[in-house]
Amino acid sequence: MDSYYSFAQRAMKEREFYQAEWALRRMLASSNNLDRVKLDLSLSLLGQGKYLDARDLLQDVLSKNPPPEVQKNIGSVMKKVDEELKPHRISGNLAMGVNYDTNGNSSPATGQVTIVNTSIPLDPTAREQEDFNLFTAATVNHTYRTDTGDRSKTIRWKTDLVGYLAKQDKLDRLDLTMMSARTGPEVTWLNSGVRAGLYVGYTMIGLDGNDYLRSPKGEFIVDVPMSGFTTATFATAVEDRKYINAPTVTIYDERSGTAWQQSFALRHVLTDTWAIDGSVFFRHEDAKMTYYENDQYGTSVGATHLFDPSLVFNTRLGYKYYDYKGADLLISTNQRADTEVTAGATLAKSITISGYETKPTAVIGYLYRNMDSNIQNYEYENHRFSTSLNVPF
């Protein structure tokens, strides 16, 4: 019995909840009156999302009138279980913030553009300009469970709504609005932890008060636990991108076409305070004009550190290569090829307010972006500094 219990405790520490469940159930098979083991087993079941089985164990221990402190702890856990088993759950977040860009209009670093293989200096008003923008974003998430009595899997229908508005200080033509919706079923098989979701979505983007992009999207995502600390994610998506010309711009729609993307990511928890992740992806974009068609290859790595439960730091490094399929002869006879390097860091601090259960989060961040190209028109770099306040509801 001691060996089983030691094994279960070690498995719980290593987030191997399935192994912990096996050892604790072996103990209960020998003696079904071990209430402490039942409480530990309920925690291992919660780690797997087996809320119905966990609730049965908690109610069994509670029926035996344990000490008041134990009853209080069980009550706290039961509250979480009941919340998870609600058929409908609604949550959301409201964010407001300020971004500062050193090159807000993504102007070429050379101060010139190429037209018919000839370099032409940019007008001073079109060269690199720093700018601020004020933004607000709102998200609303709804989850509907149809399986509250199923002990082997969960079936959720998830719907996410996102709205975003950014107003530039000087570069009014870059004022941005976005509305996005995504919905679809998500299934989790509790005995393995595998989760799969199939979603459809629609995104609308406006630029400078005009329609800019309309894009329906289909997406399939699978999360596979490799161990208690490592999860692999496979995703594939297809988009139908329709760009819309502005009153003074007649070439946006030349980018319209289907896009297809596949990605693979790994997340690994190193310690109680450190986690790392990495991903690779491939994306193909069709377009009306061949010189906008491209293949993209990318990778990114990140690390997250938890200083304490209210203070989180994240840093990330990314690389992307763009391979375009034709030359735009009005610009250059070269077939365009770009590389993009990004590096950033974010610090988030949650704020406890007496009398309120929700905790607002203050965020500061920095993002460096460098675009390198064999055509100078598309070469630029930008430093973005951002601050925001996020209020969950």
Side-chain angles (χ1 to χ4, degrees):
M1 296 286 278
D2 288 343
S3 296
Y4 281 131
Y5 194 71
S6 296
F7 178 86
Q9 291 298 302
R10 186 171 66 252
M12 287 289 289
K13 186 176 181 180
E14 295 176 355
R15 300 178 61 84
E16 297 287 356
F17 300 117
Y18 299 98
Q19 295 184 24
E21 178 189 357
W22 170 81
L24 294 167
R25 288 195 183 280
R26 292 296 297 265
M27 295 179 69
L28 290 175
S30 299
S31 176
N32 195 41
N33 296 318
L34 302 173
D35 289 344
R36 172 58 189 273
V37 173
K38 290 181 181 179
L39 292 177
D40 288 341
L41 177 56
S42 71
L43 295 179
S44 74
L45 295 171
L46 290 176
Q48 302 172 54
K50 298 178 179 179
Y51 297 108
L52 291 171
D53 291 342
R55 186 173 63 180
D56 289 346
L57 289 166
L58 293 169
Q59 289 176 337
D60 183 31
V61 175
L62 197 60
S63 68
K64 299 177 181 178
N65 196 28
E69 188 64 28
V70 176
Q71 293 186 38
K72 181 180 179 181
N73 292 337
I74 292 176
S76 298
V77 178
M78 289 282 285
K79 183 179 179 181
K80 176 184 177 183
V81 171
D82 291 340
E83 182 69 23
E84 291 290 340
L85 290 175
K86 286 182 178 178
H88 294 276
R89 295 183 65 193
I90 297 176
S91 62
N93 185 79
L94 178 65
M96 297 163 286
V98 179
N99 294 320
Y100 167 73
D101 294 281
T102 60
N103 186 2
N105 56 341
S106 304
S107 180
T110 60
Q112 303 181 87
V113 292
T114 298
I115 299 178
V116 195
N117 284 331
T118 302
S119 291
I120 299 176
L122 284 168
D123 184 273
T125 61
R127 294 185 182 180
E128 182 176 314
Q129 294 186 53
E130 60 184 29
D131 200 12
F132 289 91
N133 74 56
L134 303 176
F135 72 88
T136 182
T139 62
V140 178
N141 314 110
H142 175 257
T143 300
Y144 172 57
R145 289 192 61 168
T146 61
D147 63 324
T148 53
D150 196 326
R151 295 175 183 267
S152 63
K153 62 181 178 296
T154 64
I155 304 173
R156 297 179 172 92
W157 191 280
K158 290 191 170 183
T159 301
D160 306 314
L161 303 174
V162 180
Y164 179 86
L165 172 65
K167 177 68 175 176
Q168 297 290 143
D169 180 37
K170 293 180 293 187
L171 301 169
D172 294 341
R173 294 186 64 185
L174 299 180
D175 288 350
L176 183 70
T177 59
M178 184 193 75
M179 297 292 293
S180 179
R182 188 182 78 159
T183 189
E186 180 182 279
V187 181
T188 302
W189 289 270
L190 299 178
N191 290 325
S192 65
V194 175
R195 179 173 57 190
L198 180 64
Y199 312 99
V200 294
Y202 192 82
T203 298
M204 300 181 295
I205 296 177
L207 192 62
D208 192 23
N210 301 301
D211 290 344
Y212 176 68
L213 175 65
R214 298 290 182 267
S215 180
K217 180 179 181 179
E219 189 174 13
F220 179 66
I221 302 175
V222 179
D223 286 330
V224 180
M226 311 295 288
S227 71
F229 290 104
T230 305
T231 301
T233 299
F234 306 85
T236 184
V238 60
E239 307 167 36
D240 181 22
R241 304 171 306 131
K242 181 180 180 181
Y243 288 89
I244 303 166
N245 291 329
T248 59
V249 182
T250 60
I251 60 172
Y252 286 156
D253 70 330
E254 295 177 355
R255 299 182 173 91
S256 297
T258 302
W260 175 75
Q261 179 170 316
Q262 284 192 314
S263 63
F264 171 75
L266 282 175
R267 300 185 301 276
H268 180 69
V269 178
L270 291 171
T271 67
D272 291 340
T273 59
W274 278 101
I276 58 174
D277 64 88
S279 65
V280 294
F281 81 91
F282 168 78
R283 178 180 175 89
H284 174 76
E285 294 184 351
D286 287 324
K288 286 184 178 181
M289 304 302 293
T290 306
Y291 47 76
Y292 284 125
E293 292 185 7
N294 67 87
D295 290 332
Q296 302 173 22
Y297 309 84
T299 184
S300 70
V301 293
T304 302
H305 179 57
L306 187 69
F307 290 100
D308 61 53
S310 66
L311 186 62
V312 180
F313 174 77
N314 174 267
T315 184
R316 184 163 299 280
L317 179 66
Y319 174 84
K320 189 186 297 185
Y321 174 72
Y322 302 77
D323 179 22
Y324 287 84
K325 300 307 177 184
D328 184 351
L329 299 181
L330 291 177
I331 294 177
S332 173
T333 54
N334 291 332
Q335 188 166 305
R336 179 181 168 188
D338 299 348
T339 57
E340 177 183 7
V341 175
T342 56
T346 303
L347 186 67
K349 171 70 175 178
S350 62
I351 304 167
T352 301
I353 301 176
S354 178
Y356 291 88
E357 184 177 349
T358 59
K359 296 181 179 181
T361 302
V363 181
I364 58 173
Y366 166 75
L367 177 65
Y368 170 73
R369 187 182 186 195
N370 181 72
M371 290 291 296
D372 191 18
S373 177
N374 61 344
I375 301 175
Q376 66 178 346
N377 301 26
Y378 310 108
E379 288 190 349
Y380 69 92
E381 67 175 9
N382 180 55
H383 301 268
R384 165 169 284 196
F385 302 88
S386 60
T387 62
S388 67
L389 179 66
N390 304 274
V391 182
F393 58 86

